[in-house]
Amino acid sequence: MFLYPGYLWFLLLTGPILAMYFVRSRPVTRQVASNSIWKLVLAKVQPNSFLQKFSNSMFLFLQLLVLSLVVFSLARPMGLGNTGLLRVLVVDVSASMLSRDLEPNRFEIALKRARDLAREHRGRLALYLLSDRLVSVIPPLEGSGMILEALDRLKPAHWATPSNERIVRLLRDLEGLRPDEVFLLTDTPSLEIPNDFMPETAFGVEKFGKSVANCGITQAETSWDPSRKTLWAQAQMENTGPALVAGSLETKGGSESEPSIPIQIKPGETQSVQVRLSGSGPFEIRLSVPDGQNILAADDVWYFSDPGVRPRVAMLGKESAVLGRLARVLPLLEFARGEEGQVGSAAAFISVGEPAIWPEIPGCSFLDGGERLDAGGILEWQENHPLFQYLNLDALATDSLRPGNLPGMRLVQTMRGSLISEEIRPRQEQKFSRLRVGLDIDSETLQESVFLPVFLYNALQYLLKDQFPRWSYRVGDPGISRLWRDAVPPTLSGIHEVPGRTGARVGLNLQNGSESRVGPGKPVKPGVNQKAGHLLREQAVSTWMGFLTLGFLVVLLEWYLYLRRN
């Protein structure tokens, strides 16, 4: 390839040069010692055949060589000797890449394209994976051998594709490598690339996929029925295809068989179904729909299991009827009464009243010593805080609230002070939270509200963080990394044995239900600024300057030979 291929037309000047050489008579005069050998000398110097015409034609060859070198240098050859150029391959390993609208699936076709891009490149290569983050697999190296071996070992996972904005931020981390080319091989994202994005890099996004027809389980929330000792799951399904989907939802596992539940989901809509999971598990909820309306199998099953881990929560202060019921509704946690400052191996604590000695573990204290709050007295709260998930404080009855001057950062502000505050405390290399809540926990008005059970669940989940046990986990959950300790946690959905814990199993599912939306996005080609910057960098290591320099040296050689001859 040449940057300016039009200059190659100047190679046609070789015709006139050759014509002038043959037309022009070139007698050669030599001095000899005797007239007797005159005819013999003439027979050797005057050509009688086509090949003999070139026997004394060094200047002709030098002229043709100069012309060729100058023309090639003007045409700017590309791809010759560009061993300094860096090509970065980024392969999407999210769950949607397993869609079967391409044979055998999108992921395998993307790997084939990555191999072709690696083999055809003569410079340096680097390989990255796009999951919930950007992962370096092979750093920049010369040659394609290690890249091809890594691609052969590459396996898909059930990660979720990051948002479009996050992908752009992740790719900006590659700017430190100063890549000349970046190829992102993916399916669903539709990226909006800023004008100033990698201005010297030819950045392109290649899309794989052609169908949007899919129906899958996007999430499943569990709840425990203490009276029946039964687990219930609220499964949500979504149809992203263009046609009505008719199928069934089946339950597997447990002590009792449950009949399948027929479903019908309109195009672009969702449907929620409550399913009973009786027994000890593990359990599966499996969606069955026609193959033509379901190109992704990874979102057809949702897995549940008791992880076999019981973090201990200490109960401090005076007894409370509400807190006494926690053990019945949260069977995966262990609750035990504790003395002041004596919490043993507890991972967190809940207290009614201010502890005289605060344990050096995460905890939540309910304080009811403040004045009552009048209706409409709540001013503002941090709605995005995990404590307030699924809660609306504006609907809360205020006669049970006791705000005051609570230490720490104010999470809920009222006309009479803080209702909920958080204090961050250091512990070795980590930090933990102390929550204070101005609330009469045994108030009769709260017994009729969903606020308290939801808030307690959110608080325990927030305090325990990755120690909080779940019936179902998602790929990449910090709790999975904690359970697996030093081992590599799984990245595929299913029922997995916990290392080092006999009989302990976890139900692992897609990282995000958005992977059910498998419609391919739009490809991205390098912009004008990126193309110009890339060509300038490519020419910096091109061979055209070498051609021009060599042509100059040939001209000097021809001039030197001419002077020696004359």
Side-chain angles (χ1 to χ4, degrees):
M1 293 180 61
F2 297 88
L3 184 61
Y4 304 114
Y7 282 106
L8 295 178
W9 288 102
F10 283 104
L11 289 176
L12 296 178
L13 292 176
T14 56
I17 293 176
L18 290 172
M20 292 175 62
Y21 178 80
F22 286 114
V23 170
R24 182 181 176 183
S25 176
R26 295 174 180 265
V28 178
T29 303
R30 293 188 180 182
Q31 294 181 356
V32 295
S34 175
N35 292 334
S36 62
I37 60 173
W38 179 254
K39 292 183 179 180
L40 180 62
V41 172
L42 289 178
K44 291 185 177 181
V45 278
Q46 291 182 351
N48 295 320
S49 66
F50 178 78
L51 294 178
Q52 284 182 324
K53 292 179 182 292
F54 298 97
S55 60
N56 294 294
S57 305
M58 178 177 292
F59 285 110
L60 172 64
F61 288 122
L62 291 177
Q63 290 170 3
L64 294 177
L65 181 59
V66 169
L67 174 65
S68 301
L69 293 175
V70 171
V71 169
F72 275 111
S73 63
L74 291 174
R76 300 282 186 91
M78 299 166 57
L80 296 176
N82 295 345
T83 56
L85 297 183
L86 172 59
R87 173 177 289 182
V88 177
L89 306 179
V90 183
V91 181
D92 187 351
V93 293
S94 62
S96 61
M97 290 291 285
L98 294 172
S99 299
R100 302 184 301 269
D101 52 343
L102 301 179
E103 186 63 35
N105 55 53
R106 297 177 181 179
F107 182 75
E108 293 298 332
I109 301 301
L111 286 185
K112 183 178 182 299
R113 173 59 176 159
R115 294 186 185 99
D116 293 340
L117 290 171
R119 290 191 184 101
E120 71 183 26
H121 188 62
R122 301 184 58 184
R124 294 180 299 151
L125 286 164
L127 177 63
Y128 282 78
L129 301 183
L130 177 64
S131 55
D132 61 334
R133 59 191 182 278
L134 200 60
V135 181
S136 174
V137 179
I138 301 293
L141 295 174
E142 293 286 349
S144 60
M146 293 189 65
I147 298 288
L148 295 175
E149 291 180 5
L151 290 172
D152 290 338
R153 296 192 303 266
L154 203 58
K155 301 296 181 184
H158 288 169
W159 297 105
T161 306
S163 65
N164 296 336
E165 295 77 11
R166 177 168 168 74
I167 291 177
V168 174
R169 290 198 301 270
L170 291 173
L171 292 174
R172 281 194 181 277
D173 293 342
L174 299 176
E175 288 184 313
L177 299 176
R178 299 196 68 223
D180 299 277
E181 298 174 315
V182 174
F183 289 86
L184 173 57
L185 311 180
T186 182
D187 56 350
T188 56
S190 294
L191 304 182
E192 296 293 335
I193 304 299
N195 293 330
D196 61 344
F197 184 76
M198 294 189 183
E200 295 183 349
T201 302
F203 176 79
V205 181
E206 297 188 13
K207 297 293 182 176
F208 299 87
K210 58 183 180 180
S211 175
V212 299
N214 187 57
C215 185
I217 304 174
T218 57
Q219 66 178 3
E221 299 289 342
T222 57
S223 59
W224 177 256
D225 183 352
S227 60
R228 299 182 180 180
K229 295 185 178 181
T230 300
L231 183 67
W232 291 86
Q234 189 78 17
Q236 179 175 297
M237 296 155 288
E238 182 176 5
N239 175 19
T240 61
L244 176 71
V245 170
S248 62
L249 198 64
E250 300 175 352
T251 303
K252 293 186 177 181
S255 57
E256 300 179 15
S257 60
E258 299 289 337
S260 61
I261 303 173
I263 61 166
Q264 282 192 341
I265 311 177
K266 296 180 180 180
E269 294 189 0
T270 61
Q271 179 177 340
S272 294
V273 176
Q274 191 175 47
V275 180
R276 187 177 70 167
L277 307 173
S278 55
S280 59
F283 308 99
E284 295 180 10
I285 296 178
R286 186 175 297 273
L287 177 65
S288 299
V289 296
D291 290 339
Q293 297 176 308
N294 185 29
I295 62 173
L296 180 63
D299 59 357
D300 292 346
V301 187
W302 205 271
Y303 299 93
F304 307 86
S305 182
D306 182 348
V309 180
R310 298 289 186 273
R312 187 168 176 263
V313 178
M315 313 294 286
L316 306 179
K318 66 179 183 179
E319 296 188 8
S320 166
V322 174
L323 298 183
R325 293 195 293 267
L326 284 178
R328 297 178 60 229
V329 297
L330 295 175
L332 298 185
L333 293 174
E334 178 186 349
F335 295 91
R337 293 294 304 174
E339 300 297 332
E340 292 288 345
Q342 303 294 325
V343 294
S345 60
F349 75 89
I350 297 178
S351 70
V352 179
E354 185 87 13
I357 301 176
W358 279 83
E360 291 299 310
I361 58 175
C364 177
S365 295
F366 292 91
L367 312 176
D368 59 356
E371 298 182 12
R372 288 191 176 187
L373 185 66
D374 297 330
I378 296 179
L379 299 179
E380 60 182 356
W381 70 90
Q382 299 185 17
E383 298 182 21
N384 295 327
H385 198 284
L387 287 174
F388 308 123
Q389 187 178 17
Y390 309 120
L391 290 177
N392 180 12
L393 269 65
D394 287 332
L396 183 61
T398 58
D399 58 350
S400 61
L401 308 183
R402 303 289 189 271
N405 187 21
L406 304 180
M409 180 177 60
R410 298 176 176 179
L411 301 181
V412 180
Q413 178 66 18
T414 73
M415 297 178 64
R416 295 186 180 275
S418 299
L419 179 64
I420 302 176
S421 69
E422 179 180 14
E423 183 182 4
I424 306 297
R425 301 285 296 177
R427 182 175 60 182
Q428 297 178 354
E429 297 180 356
Q430 299 179 345
K431 297 179 180 180
F432 65 93
S433 297
R434 288 178 177 174
L435 302 176
R436 292 178 173 88
V437 184
L439 181 146
D440 182 3
I441 195 170
D442 289 319
S443 171
E444 293 183 0
T445 56
L446 283 179
Q447 310 309 310
E448 302 173 358
S449 171
V450 298
F451 170 81
L452 194 55
V454 175
F455 178 79
L456 285 170
Y457 181 87
N458 290 344
L460 287 170
Q461 185 174 236
Y462 180 69
L463 295 173
L464 291 172
K465 299 188 184 309
D466 57 0
Q467 296 186 67
F468 190 82
R470 306 176 187 277
W471 289 101
S472 65
Y473 290 86
R474 291 182 181 268
V475 170
D477 191 300
I480 293 294
S481 300
R482 185 180 183 88
L483 289 172
W484 258 250
R485 298 180 182 177
D486 297 330
V488 178
T491 57
L492 291 176
S493 300
I495 301 296
H496 298 274
E497 296 280 346
V498 179
R501 295 179 180 269
T502 304
R505 291 171 288 187
V506 298
L508 195 61
N509 302 283
L510 291 184
Q511 187 179 36
N512 196 307
S514 61
E515 289 302 290
S516 293
R517 305 182 187 103
V518 296
K522 296 180 180 179
V524 176
K525 295 183 179 180
V528 175
N529 294 338
Q530 292 175 329
K531 288 181 179 179
H534 171 65
L535 288 175
L536 288 175
R537 291 182 61 180
E538 189 175 45
Q539 288 305 303
V541 293
S542 181
T543 55
W544 71 276
M545 287 297 295
F547 281 114
L548 193 59
T549 302
L550 186 58
F552 178 72
L553 294 176
V554 172
V555 170
L556 292 179
L557 176 62
E558 185 177 6
W559 176 63
Y560 172 77
L561 294 176
Y562 176 79
L563 292 179
R564 289 287 304 271
R565 186 167 183 176
N566 295 281

